[in-house]
């Protein structure tokens, strides 16, 4: 049963009552990752099993900022294990890109699922390499995604850095167009946060530019301060310039 939950809603004027919104948002983490897990299960059952006659094994799913990579998602081989020795690989989606159209977000998820298929069930299974080879390109084509280094038809189909484009009328496109609404992430990134962060960084740079270096001509002591300050070095009894 859906409820009305009070959430923080920062406005220009202070509010003591919060903002009433429709939906049970008492456990937003579960909502977000339930949608992601359901998306994985959907494509596993409706895409991979009908095409390859095999189900993908479970993976750990995450939504982490990807500062070291410029990719929209990635696959990490055998990232986690439990006390019984079970090993799970990781599929991560970069949150910045959740604001893209739903079909593109799902395209990234399925791209990484193809990595998992090759690693666990492919001809070259167990091969730990980020290289997108011919086998991977064939797996992608069978599910309706075309490997391309540029994201367009003229791009290379193999290499380290690889994206894709969606095959028009392909099985992935048709499945995604008919996908349940429950697969869509209930939360996307708050663009206002990035605007505030960028404005804050610009202010810091502006303040830094307003500071200049003063140096004692005798002992070379250095300090930073606003322009046109009169600063004196007491031990040397002289002004800093």
């Amino acid at each position: 049963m859906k409820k009305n939950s009070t959430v923080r809603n920062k406005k220009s004027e202070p509010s003591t009552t919060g903002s009433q919104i429709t939906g049970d948002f008492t456990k937003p983490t579960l909502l977000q990752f339930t949608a992601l897990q359901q998306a994985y299960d959907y494509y596993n059952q409706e895409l991979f099993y009908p095409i390859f006659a095999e189900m993908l094994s479970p993976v750990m799913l995450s939504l982490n900022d990807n500062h070291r990579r410029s990719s929209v998602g990635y696959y990490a081989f055998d990232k986690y294990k439990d006390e019984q020795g079970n090993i799970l690989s990781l599929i991560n989606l970069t949150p910045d890109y959740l604001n893209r159209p739903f079909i593109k977000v799902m395209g990234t998820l399925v791209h990484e699922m193809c990595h998992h298929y090759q690693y666990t069930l492919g001809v070259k299974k167990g091969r730990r390499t980020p290289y997108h080879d011919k086998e991977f390109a064939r797996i992608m084509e069978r599910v309706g995604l075309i490997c391309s280094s540029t994201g367009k038809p003229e791009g290379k189909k193999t290499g380290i850095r690889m994206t894709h484009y969606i095959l028009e009328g392909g099985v992935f496109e048709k499945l995604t167009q008919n996908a349940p609404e429950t697969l869509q992430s209930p939360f996307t990134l708050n663009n206002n946060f990035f605007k505030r962060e960028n404005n804050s960084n610009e202010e810091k740079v502006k303040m830094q530019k307003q500071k200049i270096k003063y140096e004692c001509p005798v002992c070379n002591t250095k300090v930073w301060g606003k322009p046109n300050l009169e600063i004196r070095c007491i031990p040397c009894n002289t002004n800093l310039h």
Side-chain angles (χ1 to χ4, degrees):
M1 179 178 179
K2 293 186 176 181
K3 305 174 183 178
N4 286 332
S5 300
T6 302
V7 298
R8 186 179 72 87
N9 183 11
K10 188 173 182 180
K11 301 179 180 179
S12 56
E13 296 181 0
S15 173
T16 58
T17 60
S19 174
Q20 294 293 324
I21 58 175
T22 302
D24 183 4
F25 286 87
T26 57
K27 297 179 180 179
T29 303
L30 289 180
L31 289 174
Q32 188 79 333
F33 282 90
T34 295
L36 185 57
Q37 183 64 59
Q38 288 179 346
Y40 181 87
D41 294 340
Y42 175 75
Y43 289 105
N44 198 5
Q45 296 167 6
E46 304 297 332
L47 185 64
F48 283 84
Y49 183 72
I51 292 174
F52 301 106
E54 293 185 89
M55 294 280 285
L56 296 177
S57 59
V59 297
M60 188 73 74
L61 298 165
S62 68
L63 295 168
N64 290 318
D65 289 320
N66 192 4
H67 298 297
R68 293 183 298 173
R69 315 178 190 206
S70 58
S71 60
V72 296
Y74 63 84
Y75 176 74
F77 310 91
D78 301 340
K79 183 77 172 181
Y80 293 93
K81 67 176 182 178
D82 64 9
E83 294 180 352
Q84 287 72 44
N86 297 307
I87 296 176
L88 294 173
S89 292
L90 167 73
I91 289 178
N92 180 75
L93 301 184
T94 307
D96 305 47
Y97 299 96
L98 291 179
N99 294 51
R100 296 177 303 158
F102 174 70
I103 194 168
K104 290 190 175 182
V105 177
M106 293 299 99
T108 298
L109 174 64
V110 172
H111 181 124
E112 306 310 331
M113 291 174 71
C114 287
H115 279 297
H116 187 50
Y117 177 87
Q118 184 181 28
Y119 182 62
T120 58
L121 299 170
V123 174
K124 299 178 181 178
K125 64 181 180 180
R127 184 182 178 190
R128 298 167 62 91
T129 172
Y131 189 82
H132 301 78
D133 59 14
K134 291 181 179 180
E135 182 190 17
F136 179 79
R138 288 194 294 269
I139 295 169
M140 289 278 283
E141 287 184 12
R142 291 184 68 180
V143 302
L145 299 175
I146 309 300
C147 286
S148 170
S149 58
T150 63
K152 298 178 180 179
E154 70 275 7
K156 295 181 179 180
K157 291 189 176 182
T158 60
I160 296 292
R161 298 182 64 83
M162 186 60 56
T163 182
H164 62 263
Y165 61 91
I166 298 169
L167 178 64
E168 188 174 351
V171 59
F172 168 79
E173 183 182 64
K174 291 178 180 178
L175 273 174
T176 306
Q177 289 172 344
N178 296 306
E181 291 185 3
T182 54
L183 307 190
Q184 301 206 28
S185 297
F187 301 98
T188 55
L189 285 197
N190 177 13
N191 290 328
N192 290 330
F193 168 79
F194 293 99
K195 290 179 182 178
R196 292 197 301 270
E197 188 176 57
N198 289 336
N199 290 337
S200 177
N201 290 334
E202 289 174 3
E203 287 296 324
K204 289 179 181 178
V205 171
K206 185 177 180 181
M207 290 297 293
Q208 289 173 353
K209 289 182 177 179
Q210 290 178 348
K211 294 181 180 180
I212 62 173
K213 182 173 67 174
Y214 297 86
E215 184 174 351
C216 174
V218 179
C219 67
N220 296 323
T221 297
K222 301 177 182 64
V223 297
W224 290 83
K226 295 180 180 179
N228 303 317
L229 291 178
E230 291 187 4
I231 304 176
R232 191 168 185 81
C233 180
I234 303 301
C236 300
N237 194 28
T238 184
N239 289 335
L240 276 63
H241 301 290

